[in-house]
Amino acid sequence: MRQRKDFQRIEGVKSSRLIVIAAEGRATENIYFEAMRQELCATNVQLVVLNREDDNSNPANVHRQIKDFMDEYNILDDDQLWIVIDRDDWKEKMLADIAQLCQQNTNLRFCMSNPCFELWLILHLEDIEDYSEEDKKNLFENPRLSTHGTWTKYHLRKLMGHYQESDYDPSILLPHVEEAICRAEKLDINPKDRWPQTTGTRVYLLAKSIMDR
């Protein structure tokens, strides 16, 4: 087994805590978290957003990317490594296996959005509790709307004026992150569950950690 390297910590910050994110999407999550790193990251937090070069984004591969990082670098007790995935149509056994692996390591965090990460983005701009029953159903089921993509992507385009998975302006969202956190917390009616069984997202926990709340 090769010797692990020390990760280069922030100079001058003795107690810097490392937060590493591996996400299912190639671009959407990275755009958002890179913006958070620049604008909202606490001074005692060092945020690293891992990139992927392929589209093989199933949860097992996202976990493998985090594991590769852990195999390469020494991880300290306070460091956190987050696996950010969507509920989508993944088999429950696969999700349960990844959630269990995270529970077995105190540095790992399992962070799922149900149905998808776009829910977290929507919560910056709208309280879904105000939705009609039809819109709540559409949000949870997130059907594909012919050429418009999924319901959540189409809805974000309406809210933001322009939205594509690899091209959107996170500066529209970040001023409202506290509202998104509050709304997501209210949706998390069973926080002890391994992931939200109904419409919800655990990204609020990651956002609070990045901002050291």
Side-chain angles (χ1 to χ4, degrees):
M1 180 175 167
R2 65 182 180 183
Q3 188 174 3
R4 292 187 179 94
K5 302 179 289 187
D6 288 332
F7 192 83
Q8 186 65 44
R9 306 276 166 162
I10 301 173
E11 291 187 15
V13 182
K14 187 175 181 180
S15 60
S16 66
R17 174 165 55 89
L18 187 64
I19 294 179
V20 182
I21 298 172
E24 180 178 328
R26 286 184 64 183
T28 310
E29 296 91 336
N30 288 29
I31 290 171
Y32 181 86
F33 290 119
E34 283 293 348
M36 274 204 84
R37 182 180 64 79
Q38 295 174 28
E39 301 294 335
L40 296 174
C41 191
T43 56
N44 65 328
V45 170
Q46 184 167 0
L47 180 60
V48 177
V49 184
L50 302 181
N51 293 312
R52 276 192 307 101
E53 301 301 327
D54 58 53
D55 292 316
N56 196 0
S57 62
N58 72 61
N61 284 325
V62 180
H63 173 264
R64 187 174 300 114
Q65 187 178 25
I66 280 287
K67 187 176 183 304
D68 288 344
F69 186 94
M70 296 176 70
D71 288 342
E72 185 172 358
Y73 295 105
N74 291 313
I75 304 300
L76 305 183
D77 290 343
D78 288 341
D79 294 339
Q80 298 176 0
L81 299 100
W82 290 76
I83 295 171
V84 179
I85 61 173
D86 297 343
R87 177 63 182 90
D88 285 339
D89 296 319
W90 299 119
K91 299 291 186 184
E92 183 146 342
K93 184 181 186 307
M94 176 186 287
L95 299 174
D97 288 346
I98 302 302
Q100 184 175 8
L101 288 171
C102 290
Q103 288 178 334
Q104 294 170 353
N105 187 305
T106 56
N107 294 112
L108 289 179
R109 303 288 188 275
F110 186 70
C111 182
M112 181 190 287
S113 297
N114 190 1
C116 58
F117 185 77
E118 280 81 5
L119 168 62
W120 169 248
L121 304 184
I122 288 171
L123 290 175
H124 290 67
L125 303 174
E126 286 186 329
D127 187 345
I128 67 170
E129 293 299 318
D130 298 330
Y131 280 15
S132 67
E133 290 304 313
E134 181 182 3
D135 281 346
K136 287 179 180 178
K137 182 175 183 289
N138 282 328
L139 173 61
F140 181 66
E141 295 179 356
N142 200 25
R144 182 165 292 279
L145 306 175
S146 63
T147 59
H148 296 297
T150 60
W151 188 92
T152 54
K153 291 178 175 61
Y154 176 63
H155 194 65
L156 274 170
R157 280 196 289 276
K158 290 196 296 182
L159 289 174
M160 299 180 69
H162 173 79
Y163 175 82
Q164 293 181 354
E165 289 176 285
S166 59
D167 180 19
Y168 67 95
D169 183 2
S171 68
I172 297 172
L173 306 171
L174 292 184
H176 307 288
V177 68
E178 296 288 358
E179 293 158 89
I181 290 171
C182 182
R183 290 163 179 167
E185 282 186 304
K186 286 196 296 184
L187 289 173
D188 198 4
I189 55 177
N190 293 304
K192 292 185 179 179
D193 286 353
R194 290 176 296 180
W195 62 78
Q197 301 298 317
T198 56
T199 302
T201 173
R202 296 273 167 81
V203 177
Y204 76 91
L205 296 171
L206 173 51
K208 289 171 71 172
S209 187
I210 291 170
M211 296 186 292
D212 197 27
R213 296 294 165 86

